[in-house]
Amino acid sequence: AQSVAQPEDQVNVAEGNPLTVKCTYSVSGNPYLFWYVQYPNRGLQFLLKYITGDNLVKGSYGFEAEFNKSQTSFHLKKPSALVSDSALYFCAHGSSNTGKLIFGQGTTLQVKP
Amino acid sequence: GAVVSQHPSWVICKSGTSVKIECRSLDFQATTMFWYRQFPKQSLMLMATSNEGSKATYEQGVEKDKFLINHASLTLSTLTVTSAHPEDSSFYICSASSTGGPSRRTDTQYFGPGTRLTVL
C-alpha cells in the first residue's frame, strides 16, 4: 500500500531559525510529491511539488524541499522561519491516474518570536 | 492564478434539511474536482472525485445518496448534503485540477477555502 508519513505532529522553532518539516513516503513506481500549508479554518495552499529532475525544489514563500530517493524522504525547509509561517503542513503523493492525493497526517509548525 | 472559491464559507442548518456547497475554479478550467472532509486537527479525507459531465467516483464508505455531487461545467462542482444530521457537521473542502502534465498524478490540486457545516 502507498503511504506518506509525517513523523512529527508538531515542530517548534524560534523565529529566524531554520525550519524542517519531515516527510517520508512509501510508494510503488515514481513518487510525485507535494507540500501544502493550511492556515486555521482555511483551505490548503500549494507550496511546491517534485515530479522529476533537480532534487531541490523551490516553492512559494521562501520554502524549499529536498527529494532524497535513498532515504525516501521529501523534507520541507526554510532558512529563516517567520511567526507567520505557523500553520499546519501537509505532505502528499499523487497516487493514481485519477489525480488522487495521498496525504500525510499533517505537522503543526509553531514559530515563536 | 489558480484560484478556487467555495460558497458558503459557513452554514448552520437544522437536522433533516439539505445543504448545497458550491466549488468554483475562477481562473482556470478544472478537468477534475475533489471533495474532502476534514475533522479538527486531522488530515483530509477524500470523499469523491468528479469529472466534468460524468458521475462522481465515491470513496469507500461514503454514501453517494447522502452526498450528492454534480460537476456540471469545467468551473463548477456542487456537493449537496441531503437530510443532514449532526454527525455530518464538519469542514468540507473542495479542490480542482486541470490536466497539463505528463500524468494526472503530477497535476496540482488547488484548494478552496473550505465550508464549515454545523447541523443542529
Side-chain angles (χ1 to χ4, degrees), chain A residues 28 30 32 34 36 38 41-44 46 49 51 90 93-101 103-105, chain B residues 32 34 36 38 42-44 46 49 59 91 93 102-114 116:
Chain A
S28 56
N30 294 322
Y32 301 107
F34 299 78
Y36 287 88
Q38 184 181 30
N41 297 308
R42 303 292 295 172
L44 278 65
F46 170 71
K49 69 179 179 183
I51 304 301
F90 290 102
H93 162 62
S95 68
S96 76
N97 289 331
T98 63
K100 184 189 302 188
L101 289 175
F103 283 93
Q105 62 267 48
Chain B
T32 306
F34 302 84
Y36 296 86
Q38 186 181 31
Q42 292 189 25
S43 190
L44 282 71
L46 179 64
T49 303
E59 294 299 299
F91 192 54
I93 307 175
S103 162
R104 298 301 317 280
R105 298 172 64 185
T106 64
D107 293 343
T108 298
Q109 288 186 31
Y110 295 96
F111 287 79
R116 174 75 58 192

Side-chain angles (χ1 to χ4, degrees), chain B residues 24-37:
Chain B
R24 293 180 185 273
S25 56
L26 298 184
D27 52 2
F28 67 102
Q29 292 188 323
T31 312
T32 306
M33 288 185 169
F34 302 84
W35 286 95
Y36 296 86
R37 185 171 178 179

Side-chain angles (χ1 to χ4, degrees), chain A residues 15 31 61 74 77 82 110:
Chain A
E15 187 175 30
Y61 314 118
F74 189 55
K77 299 182 180 184
L82 301 172
Q110 187 75 37

Side-chain angles (χ1 to χ4, degrees), chain B residues 42-57:
Chain B
Q42 292 189 25
S43 190
L44 282 71
M45 181 190 81
L46 179 64
M47 299 175 67
T49 303
S50 74
N51 292 290
E52 183 264 339
S54 61
K55 290 184 178 180
T57 302

